Amino acid sequence: MQKYFSSDDIKALEKQMRVHFINSIGGFKSVSLVGTNDKQGKTNVAIFSSLVHIGANPALVAHIFRPSPPERDTLSNLLETGFYTVNHINEIIYKKAHQTSARYDKEISEFDVTGLTPIYKNNFKAPFVSESSVQLGIEFREKIDIKINNTIMVIGEIVQVHFPEDCLSSDGFLDLERANTITCSGLDSYHKTVQLDRLSYAKPDKEITSLTQN
């Protein structure tokens, strides 16, 4: 039996219930750690579940930032330096990753308090998370103010990718299960995944076939 909520019902929900409800109804999401530093080299790492694919050529992704205050150190750092990293979360570090959502003072690095390890690669100016298997180096490209709720969309270009060699298929598909990447729903629920299938490109006059190798 289905339950029905109108927009008035949603607005009438207690605040935290409404937050959890709306954050979970969109389905499973990408969840990752965004690594930054300021111009003085002070590091910051924070968990995000708002990563959006924008395009493949150029390779663009976007994040949504909630209104300030409180101060968003990740946002101020990446705007100041122009660089940040996106690091996939795995089963080993998901609790440490979740802890980065706590509101620490700017003087405190989440790397230090959670036990995650910053690492710099290929002269990239922002820190990667050493414990992450899939790591993206992003260069800031555009900031868009969303007036309807005072959030900010930040778009960046992927300029570096680090990943396990055995996760790359011959056609370019990256096997995230093999990389032990996890997903999330809502604000605090973390999940492993099981692939059902990988399907051929859909065309009007061609039957869909399975690409999964047995």
Side-chain angles (χ1 to χ4, degrees):
M1 182 176 180
Q2 281 193 313
K3 187 173 180 66
Y4 166 74
F5 277 175
S6 68
S7 59
D8 288 337
D9 294 327
I10 294 171
K11 292 174 183 176
L13 292 173
E14 183 272 329
K15 179 182 177 181
Q16 281 305 112
M17 185 175 182
R18 183 174 66 251
V19 167
H20 284 296
F21 181 68
I22 296 300
N23 272 279
S24 60
I25 59 175
F28 294 109
K29 300 176 288 185
S30 168
V31 61
S32 55
L33 287 164
V34 175
T36 61
N37 50 222
D38 60 22
K39 286 188 175 180
Q40 288 69 47
K42 187 66 178 178
T43 60
N44 175 277
V45 62
I47 191 169
F48 280 80
S49 60
S50 61
L51 180 71
V52 179
H53 166 81
I54 299 296
N57 186 25
L60 300 175
V61 293
H63 286 89
I64 300 295
F65 289 81
R66 295 194 297 272
S68 296
E71 181 64 28
R72 306 294 174 183
D73 295 333
T74 299
L75 179 61
S76 60
N77 284 351
L78 71 85
L79 292 177
E80 181 179 325
T81 67
F83 297 91
Y84 55 105
T85 67
V86 172
N87 306 267
H88 287 205
I89 297 171
N90 53 53
E91 290 181 64
I92 298 173
I93 62 171
Y94 76 95
K95 290 183 179 179
K96 294 180 178 180
H98 185 78
Q99 183 61 32
T100 66
S101 63
R103 293 178 180 174
Y104 294 103
D105 292 338
K106 182 174 176 57
E107 294 73 25
I108 298 174
S109 171
E110 291 83 357
F111 280 107
D112 294 337
V113 295
T114 62
L116 294 167
T117 310
I119 185 172
Y120 292 86
K121 297 184 175 185
N122 291 44
N123 297 315
F124 196 72
K125 297 180 181 180
F128 297 95
V129 177
S130 179
E131 293 83 359
S132 174
S133 296
V134 180
Q135 306 158 326
L136 314 179
I138 314 292
E139 188 168 353
F140 169 74
R141 287 290 180 254
E142 187 173 351
K143 172 179 171 286
I144 299 172
D145 295 319
I146 301 174
K147 295 180 180 179
I148 193 170
N149 64 349
N150 294 319
T151 55
I152 295 170
M153 174 181 281
V154 169
I155 300 175
E157 181 177 354
I158 301 170
V159 295
Q160 287 192 21
V161 186
H162 305 272
F163 57 91
E165 185 177 3
D166 63 355
C167 293
L168 184 65
S169 301
S170 59
D171 64 354
F173 177 76
L174 194 65
D175 188 340
L176 299 183
E177 282 186 7
R178 184 181 288 271
N180 200 25
T181 294
I182 64 170
T183 184
C184 77
S185 60
L187 296 172
D188 53 17
S189 184
Y190 299 91
H191 306 261
K192 295 191 294 184
T193 64
V194 177
Q195 184 187 62
L196 296 178
D197 205 347
R198 188 174 173 226
L199 302 177
S200 60
Y201 189 82
K203 295 182 179 180
D205 57 350
K206 189 174 181 180
E207 183 178 353
I208 290 176
T209 60
S210 174
L211 301 179
T212 303
Q213 297 179 351
N214 296 321

